[in-house]
């Protein structure tokens, strides 16, 4: 059985489905890596396609039975390599984001957001205006474990680069590998909303309202997939923490965007939640509840999709994390660095795309679709959970490693779409030539469910 098929089967086992057919695909892609990155990408998108077909059948519609285009899926997973604004590519990582040598090894840091940069500098005992050279010099004086421990205490993003075995033997690695790839738990609350009557074959989620409280890649990819299938998605961002502009443009097609401070405007959010079918969050475990939000209590029967870096159990359950950080901590960076470093003193590398993020996003969207379909049968709300570290554990355990492989090619522009000088990757599902509309202006919609962009049918 191929790794691709293994992922599909594991998804279906976690979601409680048996016997569904999956689209067949070829294996050649631009996701060349030692680990089976294509199997992860293709299996995640295939799981979404199959879940969408189950939704169509539940709505009395004909399934599409998608056949995936591997190059198109690879382009979607490599969207940051396709992205352009007026022909200019983005700076994907800030100066303090990357691999750095320490006194006894390597660390991987992430400081793309200004508040994460400030926390990282505090880990090193440096002032906010310190430059890269000062940070590099300070890291060289500290052990990798010391940097990781301080980062955990201060809410910064830095991890020790581990081997695969070190990760598997650690308490956090064992917690990450435990449980299904997509965890679904039914709640006691009972809903009342039925399948929207305006669903169509291409828009099986038409009429479904989704509140999106996610950022960066995994969560936004999930809600972008739901928007592609017709859901009305309202993304909510805190006004005090601006989003990275190019990242928003790359992952927020087909959505509305509003600004709302949940610390001071919680009543508005609770009203939005009362009329939502789905809530998708990327907060660390318990963060929303500490603000006084119980989604099932406010909207009985709601489906709550949750994405986290490390999972909701284990010693790292409350830590922040991103795809690149998880790759480094879990051993993926050393595995992917080995094949190309015979001429390079650095032992570290990365997957050819933020594959943990993208795959987790598509898997979360698939889980939400199946949870909605199940709710039509029993009226029960469900929590759907994915974690980047759990996705990484699947990838590390999957068969089909290729240590001797060519470099990954850049995705071709044939799999891109462009609007007003902004070029992004086309949808991973081949039946959809483009998203319903390009990403709107950040934070320009009112916090309500009444707005529809011009041209939406």
């Amino acid at each position: 059985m191929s790794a691709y098929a293994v992922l599909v089967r594991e998804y279906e086992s976690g979601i409680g489905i048996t016997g569904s057919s999956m689209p067949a695909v070829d294996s050649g892609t631009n996701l060349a890596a030692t680990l089976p990155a294509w199997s992860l990408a293709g299996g995640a998108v295939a799981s979404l396609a199959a879940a969408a077909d189950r939704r169509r059948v539940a709505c009395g519609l004909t399934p599409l039975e998608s056949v995936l285009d591997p190059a198109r899926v690879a382009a979607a997973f490599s969207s940051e390599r396709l992205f352009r604004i007026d022909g200019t590519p983005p700076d994907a990582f800030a100066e303090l984001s990357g691999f750095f040598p320490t006194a006894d090894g390597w660390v991987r840091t992430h400081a793309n957001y200004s508040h994460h940069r400030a926390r990282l500098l505090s880990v090193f005992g440096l002032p906010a205006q310190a430059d890269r050279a000062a940070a590099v010099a300070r890291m060289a004086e500290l052990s990798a474990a010391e940097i990781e421990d301080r980062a955990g205490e201060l809410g910064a993003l830095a991890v020790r680069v581990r081997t695969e075995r070190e990760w598997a033997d650690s308490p956090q690695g064992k917690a990450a590998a435990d449980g299904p790839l997509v965890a679904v738990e039914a709640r006691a609350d009972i809903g009342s909303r039925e399948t929207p009557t305006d669903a169509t074959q291409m828009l099986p989620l038409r009429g479904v309202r989704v509140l999106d409280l996610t950022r960066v890649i995994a969560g936004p990819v999930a809600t972008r997939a739901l928007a592609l299938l017709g859901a009305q998605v309202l993304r909510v961002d805190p006004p005090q923490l601006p989003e990275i502009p190019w990242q928003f443009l790359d992952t927020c097609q087909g959505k509305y965007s509003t600004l709302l401070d949940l610390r001071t405007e919680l009543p508005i959010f609770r009203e939005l939640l009362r009329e939502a079918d789905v809530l998708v969050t990327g907060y660390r475990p318990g963060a929303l509840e500490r603000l006084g939000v119980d989604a099932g209590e406010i909207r009985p029967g709601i489906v709550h999709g949750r994405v986290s870096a490390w999972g909701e159990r284990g010693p790292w359950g409350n830590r922040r994390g991103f795809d690149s950080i998880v790759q480094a901590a879990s051993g993926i960076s050393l595995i992917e660095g080995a094949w190309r470093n015979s001429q390079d003193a650095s032992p570290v590398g990365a997957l050819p795309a933020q594959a943990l993020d993208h795959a987790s996003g598509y898997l979360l969207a698939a889980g939400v679709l199946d949870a909605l379909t199940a709710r039509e049968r029993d009226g029960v709300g469900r929590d759907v959970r994915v974690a980047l570290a759990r996705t990484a554990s699947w990838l590390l355990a999957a068969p089909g490693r290729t240590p001797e492989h060519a470099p990954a090619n850049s995705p071709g522009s044939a799999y891109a779409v462009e609007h007003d000088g902004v070029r992004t990757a086309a949808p991973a599902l081949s039946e959809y030539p483009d998203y319903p509309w390009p990403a709107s202006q950040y934070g320009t919609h009112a916090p309500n469910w009444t707005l529809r962009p011009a041209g939406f049918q």
Side-chain angles (χ1 to χ4, degrees):
M1 181 181 293
S2 69
Y4 167 88
V6 169
L7 182 139
V8 170
R9 175 169 291 185
E10 184 161 351
Y11 165 78
E12 294 192 336
S13 173
I15 210 76
I17 296 168
T18 57
S20 68
S21 61
M22 303 304 299
V25 297
D26 299 321
S27 59
T29 76
N30 294 322
L31 295 176
T34 297
L35 295 169
W38 157 250
S39 296
L40 176 63
V45 176
S47 296
L48 171 68
D53 271 347
R54 289 189 284 270
R55 177 70 180 173
R56 291 183 179 98
V57 171
C59 293
L61 302 168
T62 303
L64 288 180
E65 298 181 351
S66 298
V67 176
L68 303 187
D69 178 346
R72 189 178 176 115
V73 171
F77 269 62
S78 308
S79 60
E80 74 279 0
R81 297 166 68 188
L82 271 175
F83 186 88
R84 299 288 187 275
I85 297 180
D86 296 329
T88 303
D91 291 326
F93 289 102
E95 65 171 0
L96 293 186
S97 295
F99 292 104
F100 296 96
T102 69
D104 62 351
W106 289 81
V107 291
R108 181 64 163 90
T109 64
H110 195 290
N112 285 8
Y113 290 96
S114 59
H115 57 293
H116 290 159
R117 184 182 190 279
R119 289 173 187 160
L120 185 63
L121 288 172
S122 70
V123 168
F124 309 140
L126 295 174
Q129 66 272 21
D131 61 11
R132 177 184 171 91
V136 169
R138 182 62 177 137
M139 281 185 271
E141 298 173 347
L142 301 171
S143 72
E146 186 176 5
I147 292 172
E148 180 180 86
D149 290 344
R150 288 187 184 179
E153 293 169 1
L154 297 174
L157 289 139
V159 294
R160 178 168 67 89
V161 176
R162 287 170 171 77
T163 66
E164 180 181 6
R165 175 47 54 193
E166 286 176 319
W167 176 249
D169 290 342
S170 70
Q172 56 267 34
K174 291 176 181 177
D178 187 39
L181 193 59
V182 181
V184 180
E185 297 178 2
R187 296 194 307 273
D189 56 273
I190 304 297
S192 59
R193 186 166 183 171
E194 298 178 353
T195 302
T197 56
D198 53 353
T200 68
Q201 187 185 42
M202 297 304 292
L203 301 175
L205 290 180
R206 189 176 228 174
V208 172
R209 290 174 169 175
V210 178
L211 267 180
D212 176 9
L213 274 67
T214 67
R215 302 189 120 193
V216 193
I217 299 176
V221 163
T223 52
R224 184 182 64 183
L226 300 177
L228 181 70
L229 297 174
Q232 186 178 5
V233 179
L234 178 62
R235 171 159 159 165
V236 179
D237 280 282
Q240 71 275 15
L241 296 175
E243 178 61 296
I244 297 170
W246 79 264
Q247 207 159 248
F248 176 83
L249 294 173
D250 193 39
T251 57
C252 284
Q253 300 95 320
K255 308 177 191 179
Y256 313 128
S257 169
T258 194
L259 301 180
L260 203 64
D261 190 340
L262 269 60
R263 299 170 304 177
T264 59
E265 299 176 289
L266 189 58
I268 298 175
F269 178 75
R270 291 170 68 93
E271 285 302 316
L272 289 170
L273 195 56
R274 283 191 177 92
E275 297 187 40
D277 297 280
V278 177
L279 171 66
V280 183
T281 59
Y283 292 134
R284 285 174 296 154
L288 200 61
E289 289 77 5
R290 285 191 291 273
L291 286 171
V293 177
D294 184 323
E297 177 184 312
I298 295 171
R299 177 67 164 94
I302 198 169
V303 172
H304 187 177
R306 308 160 80 111
V307 57
S308 63
W310 309 104
E312 299 193 3
R313 294 179 296 171
W316 281 14
N318 280 318
R319 289 203 181 199
R320 295 172 172 86
F322 293 106
D323 183 305
S324 57
I325 294 290
V326 175
Q327 286 192 44
S330 65
I332 292 174
S333 293
L334 290 178
I335 292 170
E336 295 301 332
W339 75 274
R340 62 171 179 78
N341 283 318
S342 59
Q343 305 298 322
D344 190 340
S346 168
V348 289
L351 294 169
Q354 303 287 294
L356 306 181
D357 261 331
H358 286 271
S360 297
Y362 288 112
L363 289 168
L364 181 60
V368 167
L369 274 159
D370 280 323
L372 283 169
T373 301
R375 191 185 71 177
E376 303 307 331
R377 297 192 301 268
D378 58 22
V380 175
R382 286 170 171 81
D383 291 321
V384 183
R385 295 183 176 89
V386 300
L388 305 188
R390 178 64 185 89
T391 303
S393 295
W394 180 89
L395 184 61
L396 288 163
R401 294 190 183 188
T402 54
E404 301 297 329
H405 62 83
N409 295 323
S410 294
S413 59
Y415 299 99
V417 293
E418 186 166 336
H419 300 280
D420 297 325
V422 177
R423 189 178 83 175
T424 59
L429 296 177
S430 302
E431 296 85 2
Y432 297 83
D434 200 353
Y435 291 97
W437 56 84
S440 59
Q441 290 291 317
Y442 180 70
T444 54
H445 293 109
N448 59 54
W449 293 110
T450 61
L451 296 177
R452 289 183 184 274
F456 182 79
Q457 302 297 319

